[in-house]
Amino acid sequence: MSAWLRQRRWLVPYLFLLPGGLWLLIFFLVPMLTMASVSLQEGTLGTGFRMTFNVGVFPEVLARWDTQFLRSIQYGLIVTLLTILIGYPMAYTIAFRGGRYKSILLLLVIMPFFTSFIIRTISWKFILADQGFVLGTAKEIGLLPEAFRVLGTPTAVIAGITYNFLPFVVLPLYVALEKIDHRLIEAANDLYASRVQSFLRVTLPLSLPGLFAGSLLAFIPAVGDYINAELLSGTPDTVMIGNVVQALYLQNNDYPQASAISLILMAGLIVGVIAYTRVLRGQELTA
Amino acid sequence: MTDQRNDQTQIERAIARALAQGRISRRRFLRQAGKGGLITASALSLPAILAACGINPGGSGSPGASAGSSLVGGTPSGKLVFANWPLYIDTTNDDVEVAEEAGQRESATLDAFTAETGIEVDYVEAIQDNQEFFGTIQPALAQGSDTGWDMIAPTDWMVGNMIRLGYLEEFDVAVSVPNFVANAADKYKNPSYDPNNRHSVPWQSGVTGIAYNPALTGREITGFGDLLDPAFEGQIGMFSEVRDSLSLALLHNGIQPKDATEDDVRAANDLLKEQQPLVRGYYGNEYAQELADGNLAVTMAWSGDVFQLQFDNPDLQFVVPEAGGILWIDNMCIPKGAQHPADALAFMDYVYRPEVAAQITEYVNYICPVPEAQEIIRQHAAEAETDEDREYLEAVAESPLVFPTEEMLANLHSYKVLSEEEERLWNELFQEVTLG
Amino acid sequence: MDAAAALTRAAPRSPRRFHAGRWVLPVYTALVVAYLFLPIVVMIAFGFNDLRGRFNFTWQGFTLEHYATVFTSQPRMNAALLNSFIVAVVSTVAATTLGTLIGLALTRYEFRGRGPLNLLIFLPIATPEIVLGASLLAMFVSAGVERGLPTIIIAHIMFNISYVVVTVRARLAGFNRAYEEAAMDLGADEWTTFRKVTFPLIAPGILAAGLLAFALSIDDFVITQFTAGPDQTFPLWVYGASRIGVPPQVNVMGTLIFGVALLGVAGWILLQRRQASLLATPGVGP
């Protein structure tokens, strides 16, 4: 068997790619095309949808929901920053100081996510309640004004999204940090670099693939999230574009508009990420 | 569950027609799938999945559009598939004997029904939202094929919509559901959305009104105007459900929902837009937690929820707004093309027995359509074994939230039944408030 | 600079400062873990709540009764849990396999179509879940495929492949082929090299990817909501129940799941320690 394969060496990568690639083709690409088609249609659930090549839907949608688009991007950026700020030292500690506890610590990071995030979010609602044991106590001892609240504000939504995506940042960061050859750092130290310097000039750049992956894994789902906004805040000033899509899709059954928004969101994200990739030149995605 | 849907070909053709897009032919799809050749050790290779999902290349004959309104009825066949809202039926069975005889331990009511009639009930809490649920069954209904459900429980306005679209089976309530005729309160007979109950009978009913926490408001609350009070800024709750919110606003403006014109609706919506900066949030069922946590001082609310919340916090109050509240009714009805309509009718008849209605209401705590149930619950309370149970049952029997007074009922109105364009307008207007 | 001076400069500063600095990171990590677990603690606590009514929002008293009824009082929860588990296991195995293969191909081989492939892998990650879910639903409905557990699994494998590839590639990117070449120089054929050299070296990365895939799958809500049909997974069921009021059995179940995971971790620690001590014992081991 190996002889046959060795003769057709060029086949090997394609064989590796085939199953996964085909799966993505059928279950990702085709639905996307379906959705693109739907966005250009018009109609209602009752009377049916007809393809009218209604390209006007895109500027319409952008004009109507511009606030929500921008807000989602804004929240996404903040969440990404926060997850990296919180997650990097964490990943660093596990990778460099973990020793034989590395895997345990990693599992500790993931384990809270073995319970449903609905339960976790409801628990956060309880913890962050206006008069709950955190805020209520603070108010009683005068640390916070009586009218202060977290729930129903952008803070709650951002905090919720950050909490939900923290492990997805810690893991890739850990993976990248863990495989850094420590001798490189030792060499830097030998060459008179202080700890800070060797971190900034050796460790940090080498962990860039992890940073790249982690930031994407945080930013993109954060922008499209709607559950946190829904559960932790009911106010219109925290409505994200995901909430709009959900409302249009499930409440209004306005498939064309919802599909158009989805396409714009996707396109925007892709453009943004390609630009991001160019900036971090030489990293994985365009290798 | 998957064996219910033996008419996919009709459904898929309906979707294809409705969505007017280039259809992926089944053969091409299967061929692509066959090329899939997954290396994974998973047993779920694509062709197997598709086979398990039940795509029948042969396809069954087209049923054609239902001709006219033929009545359903007849002998039950032994199976019932019922879609309902969550927590709308008792879920434990303390009567072990009955449970074992029925072969399940899920619900005293369902088990007793099965034990008596031999009809197996597949009860699924599939409805979270009327519109959402409708979206899942509409394609089949449009084609006239089986949705997979024998009985569903949408809210009155959705029932009205479905009747207008011809999506519900018709039956003769006097013949098929005699217990309803005998035992239901008059208020529930011959409703505006379903004259003469030709397509539906109520399951449970409830009130959309206002709940408040006196400790936080510092005063009594009497009506929708209190929801507009700047003193409660940041502590006011409203519903994200467009009909509830707009209807209360309309009533506040002195207009009955069913008479509302487009101008009335715009005016009501403008009122809501003015209110928006004061509102803490536009909620679905989550308002209950906010109220319990003390985040809300005053909020739109549903009667059954508040009844439950009062166990934790007896101070919480529920009022029908003085300008008027909404009485909504969730109804049992049979979608067109249902496979076991007679079984559905048998169930409808069964739950209108006063003792069964009492049993359901004791758990669900929404408004019971059978007035006699109140006396039965009182009896249960008197016979209760523990103090806890007795208190609970007495509370259920005496609560106006479960057995409303005539006064209350007089001030309650129904939703307006909307046409498709009206629905679109209402949604668009209200979303300016909720989504910004 | 002379050797002595160089050594002095490279040496740590005062021992006391170094000592305090050592603790910053571990303490920080402990704090973050505590933050991650805070809602879990609340969840566990409310599994013991002695409810009067149906809403499990305020603390009323301690009881163990929910633990007694957890498996009997909510049969649909049990069904949903089983579904979640099946979906997670199957989709993790499949996606990790498919994704690792792709990762290997991308980092170690030259081939045409690299650009489009990267795009294809990247796009599912760049797409909000709601879009993925809705588009899949549209396709399933058009093709007449009935929604249920298989469609959920299909969807989960789909989105997991991308995450696996991204995670594995971060690990594979710096992989040193020298090890493989050395093995082959020593006479091993390709398959043996893979088995004994390559795979053990990349295993941690695959494990991390697999864990990620499992976590994503078992907790997924949005995509599952669109592709589930009548079947329910645990998150779907909890969401439905939470609209009215999370029954305490949910908290209990969540606690039990968590406890099982904890036991698994503990068991694994012990196993590792045993292995380590075995290897350290002279006379034992390879």
Side-chain angles (χ1 to χ4, degrees):
Chain A
M1 212 284 268
S2 348
W4 180 91
L5 209 54
R6 208 169 291 133
Q7 278 184 337
R8 293 164 182 73
R9 181 143 255 157
W10 60 271
L11 253 188
V12 172
Y14 293 104
L15 284 179
F16 277 17
L17 294 173
L18 196 62
L22 213 59
W23 196 278
L24 286 176
L25 220 60
I26 300 177
F27 295 113
F28 173 74
L29 213 53
V30 170
M32 285 298 142
L33 296 173
T34 311
M35 195 180 67
S37 158
V38 170
S39 69
L40 294 174
Q41 297 176 15
E42 288 183 287
T44 65
L45 200 58
T47 61
F49 296 96
R50 294 161 305 282
M51 170 59 92
T52 59
F53 293 102
N54 177 23
V55 210
V57 70
F58 292 102
E60 262 171 42
V61 151
L62 273 172
R64 169 73 180 91
W65 304 110
D66 55 351
T67 331
Q68 286 78 14
F69 270 114
L70 289 172
R71 183 182 296 139
S72 302
I73 297 177
Q74 179 196 9
Y75 285 10
L77 288 172
I78 300 177
V79 164
T80 308
L81 201 62
L82 284 176
T83 49
I84 291 181
L85 284 176
I86 300 178
Y88 197 101
M90 180 91 175
Y92 182 90
T93 314
I94 301 178
F96 280 52
R97 304 277 197 82
R100 55 203 185 130
Y101 302 113
K102 270 184 206 179
S103 317
I104 301 170
L105 283 172
L106 276 183
L107 280 169
L108 278 181
V109 169
I110 295 194
M111 256 168 46
F113 297 77
F114 282 157
T115 58
S116 163
F117 85 93
I118 308 272
I119 304 182
R120 282 181 271 123
T121 312
I122 292 177
S123 303
W124 273 118
K125 276 180 81 162
F126 172 77
I127 297 169
L128 295 174
D130 284 11
Q131 309 293 335
F133 69 82
V134 170
L135 291 182
T137 327
K139 287 183 188 177
E140 258 176 76
I141 62 179
L143 212 57
L144 290 171
E146 189 60 41
F148 184 78
R149 62 174 164 133
V150 176
L151 289 180
T153 62
T155 311
V157 178
I158 293 177
I161 306 178
T162 306
Y163 177 85
N164 276 318
F165 292 116
L166 194 56
F168 303 154
V169 170
V170 171
L171 279 184
L173 275 176
Y174 163 77
V175 166
L177 283 169
E178 198 265 341
K179 68 172 165 64
I180 292 180
D181 192 340
H182 289 242
R183 292 172 302 176
L184 290 169
I185 305 177
E186 282 173 30
N189 286 332
D190 287 346
L191 289 168
Y192 321 125
S194 69
R195 289 162 60 84
V196 173
Q197 276 178 320
S198 63
F199 172 76
L200 285 176
R201 307 183 85 165
V202 179
T203 316
L204 190 57
L206 283 176
S207 68
L208 228 44
L211 264 178
F212 181 70
S215 57
L216 285 184
L217 285 177
F219 181 74
I220 290 164
V223 170
D225 185 80
Y226 69 90
I227 297 285
N228 282 284
E230 192 180 303
L231 291 180
L232 294 174
S233 164
T235 60
D237 58 342
T238 57
V239 165
M240 300 173 70
I241 198 67
N243 297 88
V244 175
V245 172
Q246 194 224 18
L248 287 178
Y249 199 97
L250 295 179
Q251 283 173 24
N252 300 21
N253 291 314
D254 189 347
Y255 300 151
Q257 210 189 142
S259 302
I261 297 179
S262 309
L263 280 177
I264 294 178
L265 187 60
M266 254 183 75
L269 282 172
I270 292 172
V271 165
V273 171
I274 290 181
Y276 182 54
T277 311
R278 291 269 159 85
V279 167
L280 289 182
R281 235 175 332 145
Q283 295 316 316
E284 262 69 292
L285 244 51
T286 49
Chain B
M1 188 61 70
T2 55
D3 51 9
Q4 319 292 347
R5 291 138 169 86
N6 50 17
D7 285 304
Q8 283 92 8
T9 49
Q10 279 75 36
I11 297 175
E12 76 191 69
R13 274 194 234 127
I15 304 299
R17 243 202 305 278
L19 294 181
Q21 54 194 341
R23 197 162 72 92
I24 302 169
S25 87
R26 198 169 314 108
R27 193 177 296 134
R28 195 151 58 93
F29 190 48
L30 281 176
R31 209 190 300 141
Q32 277 183 326
K35 271 195 284 190
L38 303 173
I39 303 184
T40 170
S42 163
L44 294 171
S45 67
L46 203 44
I49 296 173
L50 293 176
C53 286
I55 292 190
N56 303 314
S60 18
S62 158
S66 302
S69 48
S70 49
L71 302 181
V72 290
T75 1
S77 59
K79 185 152 171 91
L80 173 64
V81 187
F82 180 14
N84 205 351
W85 300 75
L87 299 187
Y88 237 5
I89 202 170
D90 48 311
T91 57
T92 57
N93 196 347
D94 298 316
D95 192 341
V96 181
E97 245 178 63
V98 176
E100 278 176 9
E101 201 182 321
Q104 37 182 343
R105 279 202 109 226
E106 264 183 51
S107 149
T109 305
L110 292 178
D111 292 348
F113 177 70
T114 308
E116 184 179 308
T117 61
I119 301 176
E120 265 181 50
V121 182
D122 196 354
Y123 181 86
V124 185
E125 291 172 340
I127 310 182
Q128 299 292 344
D129 179 271
N130 282 297
Q131 200 62 43
E132 254 178 74
F133 182 71
F134 181 66
T136 65
I137 58 175
Q138 192 269 351
L141 290 169
Q143 178 55 25
S145 59
D146 178 23
T147 60
W149 304 109
D150 298 315
M151 194 158 75
I152 58 180
T155 311
D156 45 48
W157 57 268
M158 179 56 82
V159 174
N161 279 2
M162 290 179 77
I163 294 177
R164 172 169 48 85
L165 291 166
Y167 286 164
L168 293 180
E169 297 281 12
E170 203 175 317
F171 50 84
D172 186 340
V173 73
V175 167
S176 308
V177 198
N179 280 336
F180 170 75
V181 182
N183 299 326
D186 288 333
K187 172 119 190 139
Y188 298 105
K189 298 188 182 164
N190 196 14
S192 57
Y193 55 89
D194 182 19
N196 293 321
N197 294 97
R198 287 209 298 269
H199 303 87
S200 66
V201 291
W203 170 253
Q204 292 282 308
S205 172
V207 178
T208 302
I210 302 180
Y212 68 99
N213 187 345
L216 291 176
T217 63
R219 63 178 173 86
E220 215 184 305
I221 300 294
T222 52
F224 192 77
D226 293 312
L227 286 174
L228 306 169
D229 191 343
F232 301 132
E233 177 174 354
Q235 295 181 303
I236 300 177
M238 292 288 292
F239 277 167
S240 59
E241 163 58 53
V242 56
R243 283 169 174 80
D244 280 322
S245 295
L246 274 178
S247 299
L248 281 195
L250 282 168
L251 285 166
H252 175 77
N253 281 349
I255 299 170
Q256 293 230 359
K258 61 179 173 24
D259 300 327
T261 65
E262 183 174 327
D263 289 330
D264 294 330
V265 175
R266 286 186 187 275
N269 199 54
D270 289 336
L271 183 66
L272 292 179
K273 277 203 243 186
E274 265 174 55
Q275 180 207 32
Q276 193 256 328
L278 305 173
V279 174
R280 187 194 173 88
Y282 295 87
Y283 301 105
N285 293 72
E286 321 82 73
Y287 78 91
Q289 180 170 10
E290 304 284 329
L291 190 60
D293 284 348
N295 295 339
L296 292 173
V298 56
T299 173
M300 287 179 65
W302 288 314
S303 49
D305 292 340
V306 181
F307 180 81
Q308 280 293 326
L309 285 175
Q310 283 172 337
F311 280 107
D312 302 349
N313 182 355
D315 294 331
L316 292 176
Q317 302 291 329
F318 180 86
V319 293
V320 176
E322 52 191 4
I326 303 288
L327 179 76
W328 47 263
I329 308 172
D330 288 334
N331 299 271
M332 293 183 276
C333 53
I334 307 175
K336 270 258 158 67
Q339 295 204 337
H340 314 104
D343 307 70
L345 293 168
F347 188 78
M348 290 184 199
D349 195 51
Y350 181 74
V351 298
Y352 269 92
R353 295 186 196 174
E355 58 285 4
V356 180
Q359 189 170 298
I360 297 175
T361 303
E362 276 169 18
Y363 180 83
V364 172
N365 304 144
Y366 271 93
I367 298 180
C368 180
V370 177
E372 267 179 61
Q374 187 175 26
E375 201 42 53
I376 298 183
I377 300 181
R378 287 195 183 118
Q379 258 176 36
H380 287 177
E383 297 162 4
E385 286 172 10
T386 69
D387 277 344
E388 207 183 303
D389 284 345
R390 179 159 37 88
E391 270 171 42
Y392 174 75
L393 289 171
E394 274 173 4
V396 174
E398 306 307 330
S399 170
L401 297 177
V402 185
F403 294 98
T405 62
E406 280 308 315
E407 252 181 87
M408 263 176 83
L409 286 175
N411 207 9
L412 295 175
H413 309 262
S414 300
Y415 295 123
K416 182 177 162 81
V417 180
L418 300 172
S419 70
E420 224 168 45
E421 310 93 66
E422 279 177 310
E423 195 164 5
R424 202 159 209 193
L425 176 71
W426 282 48
N427 272 331
E428 270 175 26
L429 285 177
F430 190 56
Q431 273 169 356
E432 288 171 25
V433 179
T434 56
L435 294 178
Chain C
M1 208 180 293
D2 73 334
L7 278 172
T8 324
R9 261 199 73 172
R13 277 164 256 187
S14 84
R16 193 168 34 115
R17 233 174 117 197
F18 184 77
H19 205 62
R22 269 201 84 77
W23 286 105
V24 168
L25 280 180
V27 167
Y28 174 81
T29 307
L31 283 175
V32 174
V33 171
Y35 160 71
L36 285 174
F37 274 68
L38 189 56
I40 308 297
V41 170
V42 170
M43 168 193 79
I44 297 177
F46 272 79
F48 296 108
N49 195 6
D50 190 4
L51 307 177
R52 282 209 61 197
R54 206 161 52 207
F55 290 106
N56 193 6
F57 296 143
T58 50
W59 182 257
Q60 283 145 61
F62 187 92
T63 175
L64 286 174
E65 64 168 310
H66 307 306
Y67 278 84
T69 57
V70 65
F71 289 114
T72 50
S73 74
Q74 307 279 356
R76 295 199 187 278
M77 176 174 76
N78 300 342
L81 265 173
L82 188 63
N83 287 343
S84 273
F85 189 72
I86 294 175
V87 168
V89 167
V90 172
S91 67
T92 300
V93 167
T96 310
T97 313
L98 296 181
T100 306
L101 286 174
I102 295 184
L104 282 172
L106 277 171
T107 53
R108 294 147 62 93
Y109 292 95
E110 290 304 317
F111 58 90
R112 304 228 322 248
R114 189 177 274 274
L117 180 73
N118 273 320
L119 197 61
L120 185 63
I121 292 171
F122 166 68
L123 281 180
I125 303 184
T127 313
E129 285 207 301
I130 191 170
V131 172
L132 287 176
S135 59
L136 269 175
L137 178 64
M139 187 191 81
F140 284 140
V141 160
S142 314
V145 175
E146 193 171 299
R147 270 91 61 215
L149 221 51
T151 52
I152 304 178
I153 295 179
I154 291 176
H156 282 217
I157 296 179
M158 184 271 289
F159 72 73
N160 268 333
I161 290 179
S162 303
Y163 284 102
V164 168
V165 172
V166 168
T167 310
V168 163
R169 265 167 38 147
R171 174 88 185 181
L172 283 177
F175 184 78
N176 195 346
R177 307 288 297 254
Y179 293 120
E180 294 179 326
E181 286 159 20
M184 299 219 277
D185 287 345
L186 290 170
D189 70 25
E190 301 215 345
W191 176 237
T192 315
T193 312
F194 182 76
R195 251 187 339 141
K196 301 209 147 166
V197 177
T198 318
F199 188 74
L201 282 171
I202 62 177
I206 299 183
L207 186 66
L211 281 178
L212 182 66
F214 190 81
L216 284 173
S217 171
I218 209 156
D219 206 24
D220 184 71
F221 177 77
V222 178
I223 298 185
T224 315
Q225 186 181 39
F226 282 88
T227 53
D231 288 333
Q232 289 204 307
T233 60
F234 189 60
L236 287 186
W237 186 86
V238 176
Y239 182 73
S242 78
R243 305 269 206 113
I244 314 285
V246 180
Q249 283 80 13
V250 172
N251 295 50
V252 170
M253 189 55 82
T255 310
L256 287 178
I257 294 176
F258 188 73
V260 165
L262 201 59
L263 281 176
V265 169
W268 197 46
I269 300 173
L270 289 174
L271 197 63
Q272 282 213 313
R273 293 243 174 107
R274 257 193 104 235
Q275 281 185 348
S277 65
L278 271 177
L279 287 169
T281 316
V284 180

